Amino acid sequence: MPVADDEVEVLIVGGGPVGLTARGLLERWGVRTLLVEKRRELSPFPRSRLVNTRSMEVFRRLGLAAGITANAFPPQFGRVRFRDTLYDRDFASAAMVGVHAPIPESPVTGVVTSQDRLEPLLLAAADAPTRFGAEVVGVAEEADGVVARLLDRERGTESRVRARYLLAADGANSSVRRWTGTGTTGPGPMASFTTVVFDADLSRWCAHQPAGVYVTAHGSFLPLYPEGGWAWLAPTPEDPEHADWAGLVSRALGPGADVRAEVLRVQHWVMNAFVAERFRHGRILLAGDAAHAIPIIGGLGMNTGIADAHNLCWRLAGALRGWAGPGLLDTYEVERQPVAHQTLRQAVANTDLMFQAQSLRREQLRTSGDATPSTIQLPWSERYFAQLGLVLGVTYRSAAVLADGDGDGGRDRPPADSSGAAAHYTPTAEPGRRMPHLWLSRGRSTLDAFGEWFTLLTPDPARWEQRSAPAWPLRVEALTDEHAGLCGLSTEGALLVRPDGHIGARWQDGPPDDSALRRALAGITGTASA
């Protein structure tokens, strides 16, 4: 057995938003973690831009929502605009639902921000140790853990870390995924792109019609920060090494712009589209782009990875603290892999819809010769960012979700796919669904009742508190009769909500016997009934 220089409970590989979110969530559970990142520092590139409603709900729980919003664009930037050039009028536009304006289905609103503004807030949200400039160059699985070899390339030194579990959030080109021999399914690499970060005064064309993205025939323009800065996103040219990036950006702005761009950074990248064939290999678990690479159109990729971390971390805590059986970790893949496939389909459809809008505009110009854009009414204008069903309406079907009134656990019940209609969301308190947002008191949502514990929501707390289940972290929270009715409960009913905010069990008419709650918790967590 190799000697380790350090021992932790969970080794997190990858210091992007998914790894940093997992670090913050696991620290709340008291889990000892180490995050390693091969880069010497957080990424200076803007990269992902949209933090959707569900991710903001996770960040609200971590106490970060207000800070993220303060550093983000105002809500009116939650829109995509299509133009011939940046200084032309819109020929099509779509609001980002849940970002452009508050929605009644959530206590928070998503934001348009830049990843390099988000990551420092996530890093500061936990005190757990991190090692930048440490690259994982080998992983060995053992019966009771994983040993990773870390290389500090700057110093040329190696070290070893032993962990009970390894959470791989090391991106679409994940070395950890490759070492596990896990394949992928899906289109694969779709196109090569370049992001150019630049400074220029473009306010005269954008100040009165703000947007998070301006899509033109010559690439997309993205405002980076409320105080200034831009990025241009376009297909990588044939000879990028010798490209005149300032000239390319200036030409893309259009001949009437008369603006010279000051280029600050250039990054080349590949748009990938795939889902890993498995999300778990023994004690190694994949999350984020390591598990699924989602095209950027529609802003779904990073948010899907944050949801992975939220789904996984309470399972890891249960396995490490003994209130969950080893089978609970198997339900992570059962629940999240179907969501990844559906999200990939939506992102590919978004890409097709975007190209369709551009193609129709080009055809309009070709056939009419009219340089004045007229509004193009397309189905995508309602579907492109209308994704609340996919963001809030995911339904999990696994052994960690019990059928209505199933106090015996139902672990022999065959799991069904997780699902959710992409566009439409109807709040419901059915098992497997995210608990609907309801105001328990002024400024306090049902979502604020969830955390590092299971939550029992009921209009009759005294009745249920007599059926304690000390083997699991559990809190009982009162519901008004009105809220109970909205959730399909009688005055004696109850909802058992998992730490990730999804309903694990429901008793519409009250407990069948004194052991119902303990059986349900044992069934969800895969442990012997206590």
Side-chain angles (χ1 to χ4, degrees), residues 168-194:
D170 53 338
N173 298 314
S174 169
S175 298
V176 177
R177 186 186 66 240
R178 184 175 67 252
W179 291 327
T180 65
T182 300
T184 62
T185 61
M190 295 184 69
S192 296
F193 285 90
T194 295

Side-chain angles (χ1 to χ4, degrees), residues 21-83:
T21 299
R23 171 176 169 266
L25 291 169
L26 288 171
E27 184 173 85
R28 290 295 189 98
W29 283 99
V31 173
R32 291 183 296 106
T33 67
L34 170 65
L35 183 147
V36 296
E37 166 58 53
K38 65 182 179 181
R39 296 171 303 180
R40 303 299 305 182
E41 59 185 8
L42 295 175
S43 174
F45 283 92
R47 302 178 69 180
S48 297
R49 310 275 280 101
L50 177 67
V51 180
N52 70 20
T53 307
R54 186 57 176 150
S55 294
M56 285 296 281
E57 290 176 353
V58 176
F59 295 148
R60 177 182 172 97
R61 181 61 208 161
L62 289 173
L64 299 174
I68 292 170
T69 300
N71 282 277
F73 285 97
Q76 57 265 33
F77 281 79
R79 178 174 291 277
V80 58
R81 297 182 184 275
F82 283 74
R83 299 175 172 182

Side-chain angles (χ1 to χ4, degrees), residues 260-422:
R260 182 69 178 178
E262 179 188 352
V263 173
L264 304 178
R265 298 187 184 96
V266 177
Q267 183 183 40
H268 308 299
W269 54 281
V270 175
M271 181 186 288
N272 280 295
F274 64 75
V275 176
E277 291 179 343
R278 55 184 174 176
F279 286 13
R280 182 185 183 189
H281 185 280
R283 290 178 175 266
I284 298 173
L285 298 114
L286 308 179
D289 286 359
H292 42 70
I294 308 296
I296 64 171
I297 310 303
L300 294 166
M302 177 186 71
N303 293 289
T304 306
I306 290 168
D308 291 342
H310 196 218
N311 183 281
L312 175 58
C313 286
W314 70 274
R315 290 171 159 85
L316 285 169
L320 289 164
R321 295 295 175 264
W323 50 259
L328 179 62
L329 284 171
D330 291 332
T331 63
Y332 165 64
E333 177 181 304
V334 173
E335 293 186 355
R336 292 303 300 169
Q337 192 179 54
V339 175
H341 279 291
Q342 184 176 9
T343 304
L344 180 63
R345 289 192 294 270
Q346 178 67 40
V348 171
N350 285 347
T351 304
D352 292 340
L353 290 166
M354 185 185 75
F355 291 155
Q356 179 190 20
Q358 292 174 307
S359 176
L360 286 174
R361 175 56 185 154
R362 286 193 295 267
E363 180 65 15
Q364 182 186 71
L365 290 172
R366 187 186 68 81
T367 57
S368 69
D370 183 5
T372 302
S374 59
T375 301
I376 298 176
Q377 297 294 336
L378 301 173
W380 70 270
S381 64
E382 295 182 356
R383 291 159 41 201
Y384 189 76
F385 280 107
Q387 300 160 359
L388 285 190
L390 190 59
V391 172
L392 301 181
V394 168
T395 304
Y396 292 145
R397 300 295 185 208
S398 76
V401 176
L402 311 185
D404 265 333
D406 186 359
D408 293 317
R411 297 193 68 83
D412 295 329
R413 184 162 42 85
D417 283 352
S418 307
S419 61

Side-chain angles (χ1 to χ4, degrees), residues 10-16 18-20 34-38 134-137 139 148 150 165-171 174-176 179 284-285 287 290:
V10 177
L11 176 65
I12 302 170
V13 182
V18 176
L20 291 169
L34 170 65
L35 183 147
V36 296
E37 166 58 53
K38 65 182 179 181
E135 182 177 358
V136 178
V137 293
V139 174
L150 308 182
Y165 294 96
L166 187 153
L167 194 164
D170 53 338
S174 169
S175 298
V176 177
W179 291 327
I284 298 173
L285 298 114

Side-chain angles (χ1 to χ4, degrees), residues 114-262:
S114 291
Q115 188 170 325
D116 56 331
R117 284 285 171 91
L118 175 64
E119 288 183 352
L121 296 174
L122 293 175
L123 180 63
D127 294 325
T130 60
R131 292 187 195 172
F132 286 91
E135 182 177 358
V136 178
V137 293
V139 174
E141 292 188 75
E142 299 177 344
D144 59 350
V146 177
V147 176
R149 288 192 299 116
L150 308 182
L151 172 63
D152 185 325
R153 292 195 179 276
E154 186 173 290
R155 299 176 180 175
T157 58
E158 272 199 18
S159 59
R160 286 180 171 82
V161 175
R162 177 175 286 108
R164 295 279 301 280
Y165 294 96
L166 187 153
L167 194 164
D170 53 338
N173 298 314
S174 169
S175 298
V176 177
R177 186 186 66 240
R178 184 175 67 252
W179 291 327
T180 65
T182 300
T184 62
T185 61
M190 295 184 69
S192 296
F193 285 90
T194 295
T195 299
V196 179
V197 177
F198 67 97
D199 271 341
D201 183 6
L202 307 179
S203 58
R204 52 184 148 160
W205 301 297
C206 307
H208 301 298
Q209 289 190 310
V213 184
Y214 299 87
V215 181
T216 78
H218 309 288
S220 296
F221 291 89
L222 303 83
L224 294 183
Y225 317 109
E227 67 273 17
W230 287 83
W232 176 61
L233 173 64
T236 301
E238 290 186 5
D239 187 11
E241 185 176 348
H242 299 97
D244 174 14
W245 295 111
L248 287 173
V249 172
S250 297
R251 283 192 290 274
L253 286 168
D258 191 26
V259 170
R260 182 69 178 178
E262 179 188 352

